[in-house]
Amino acid sequence: MMEYKLLKSALWGNKTQKMLAFLTIFLASMLVASMLNITLGIGDKVAQELRSYGSNIIVLPKGGALSMEIEGKTFKPLQEDAYLDESKLPKIKEVFWRNNIAAYAPFLEGKIAWSKETTPVAIIGTYFDKNLPIADEPNYRIGVKSLYPFWSVEGAWIEDDTEANILVGETLAKDHHIAIGDTLILADKSLHVKGILKGAQEAESKIMMSMALAQTLLGKPEKISRVEVSALTVPEDDLSMKAKRNPAELDTLEYDHWYCTAYVSSIAYQIEEEYKGATAKALMKVSDGESKVVKKIQSLMGMVSIIALIAASIGIASLMASEIHRRKKEIGLLKALGASNLAIYTLFIAESLSVALIAGTVGALVGYGLSMLIALSIFGHAVEISWIILPLTISFALIIAFVGSLLPMRGVIDLLPAEVLYGRK
């Protein structure tokens, strides 16, 4: 009871010191809570931002290999032409991580004769924004409009399944003076140029058309060359690198962890499981770039949080040293009455922890709001609240108060009641 009265008296005394301690811990807790909340939520947000720049998984026929473009020329490995079945496209959206498949689109490429040159012209058939009914999502849509949102068209996009209109890549249109409204003869078929495709890089030197038209011109009904997939993934780590080398090297626990984590390699593996006759390759250059960006941002926020904790501890230590000096006579009186050093330690630390508990709770709640404002200003929408951060931040606040109080308290041992009560020292 006596200890409670002493603690209550200490908490209500010297309000300036208490307010400064409260503000120190409050600001540190607010910063730590906002940084942690953004750190936990930033992976998905950064991944979503980066996913808008294209695919990170490519699905090819079994045994297929990517072509390479060197100085404007495309080199394909020597192999038999192989194709995927168009009818199996919904399988990509039926994997374990189906909700992380953000967008995908099929492509069929080839070369055909045309009216502008004696040499064949490269064509690409694809989906633009096609309805692809899948289980539980009858209105699901796929195509290049969602896979490559940064592509643009001067004129108008063409409809899926149309066999009368085409898009011409900007480079090809410029080199051959092709304008919107022109008519091109491709394999004895008259086609209307409805738009000029821009920002499509490799496709800018080709003619883009509906999948149905490309299959007709190339004589490949129901066939596609590849599928490009954009998936939301988590940064790669040692486990995913080990699985990338050979999933068979993983033990049962590692395999379950890897399979149930949205690594780009595990999603590609699951696509291979579902899409029979296909091989899915993770574009590691893209995934590595995402991982590096996310890890660097998270490291930066972690460093800011640690610096905030250290600065707050130093501030609390300074305030506690000042408070002990101010209350030397009170400490001397307690010692004269028989109080042990441990009892005095407990009194002062309980006082600091009480302030830290309130400041940490308020700081964490305000930190959530701050993280929302930061996310809105950077990503345009808020991050989810991670409630695990609340007890973590309060724990950090209590640690700040404990560590900050511990060092100044060492001076209590040296205080002699007679000296401080009679002012001899």
Side-chain angles (χ1 to χ4, degrees), residues 96-116:
F96 178 80
W97 282 105
R98 54 178 295 177
N99 292 328
N100 282 46
I101 303 296
Y104 64 103
F107 296 89
L108 175 63
E109 292 196 62
K111 290 187 176 182
I112 58 173
W114 68 321
S115 56
K116 285 283 184 180

Side-chain angles (χ1 to χ4, degrees), residues 42-54:
I42 198 171
D44 290 343
K45 298 302 176 189
V46 171
Q48 288 175 0
E49 292 291 323
L50 293 176
R51 283 302 84 246
S52 65
Y53 294 101

Side-chain angles (χ1 to χ4, degrees), residues 202-251:
E202 185 182 343
E204 288 194 359
S205 59
K206 301 175 181 177
I207 294 176
M208 183 161 282
M209 57 189 65
S210 68
M211 181 62 76
L213 176 58
Q215 289 170 341
T216 300
L217 293 176
L218 295 172
K220 305 292 181 185
E222 304 293 327
K223 299 296 181 186
I224 53 179
S225 305
R226 69 178 189 278
V227 185
E228 295 186 14
V229 182
S230 174
L232 300 176
T233 60
V234 298
E236 299 295 303
D237 56 19
D238 293 340
L239 177 61
S240 65
M241 290 296 108
K242 184 178 179 181
K244 180 190 170 189
R245 289 192 294 273
N246 185 5
E249 293 180 356
L250 304 178
D251 59 35

Side-chain angles (χ1 to χ4, degrees), residues 59-137:
V59 184
L60 297 168
K62 189 73 80 179
L66 292 172
S67 60
M68 295 177 290
E69 184 168 327
I70 302 174
E71 296 181 352
K73 295 183 178 179
T74 301
F75 296 88
K76 295 186 68 174
L78 293 175
Q79 60 178 359
E80 293 290 332
D81 284 341
Y83 297 93
L84 296 165
D85 289 333
E86 185 182 13
S87 59
K88 294 181 181 176
L89 278 174
K91 295 291 184 183
I92 293 177
K93 194 61 178 172
E94 295 175 2
V95 299
F96 178 80
W97 282 105
R98 54 178 295 177
N99 292 328
N100 282 46
I101 303 296
Y104 64 103
F107 296 89
L108 175 63
E109 292 196 62
K111 290 187 176 182
I112 58 173
W114 68 321
S115 56
K116 285 283 184 180
E117 290 282 348
T118 55
T119 55
V121 64
I123 64 170
I124 306 177
T126 188
Y127 291 173
F128 295 96
D129 185 28
K130 188 178 177 65
N131 176 232
L132 186 72
I134 58 174
D136 302 328
E137 289 187 67

Side-chain angles (χ1 to χ4, degrees), residues 75 82 100 142 167 197 248-249 258 262 284 303 309 313 322 369 401:
F75 296 88
N100 282 46
I142 67 171
L167 297 176
L197 182 64
E249 293 180 356
W258 170 71
M284 298 308 295
M303 290 177 63
L309 292 174
S313 297
S322 172

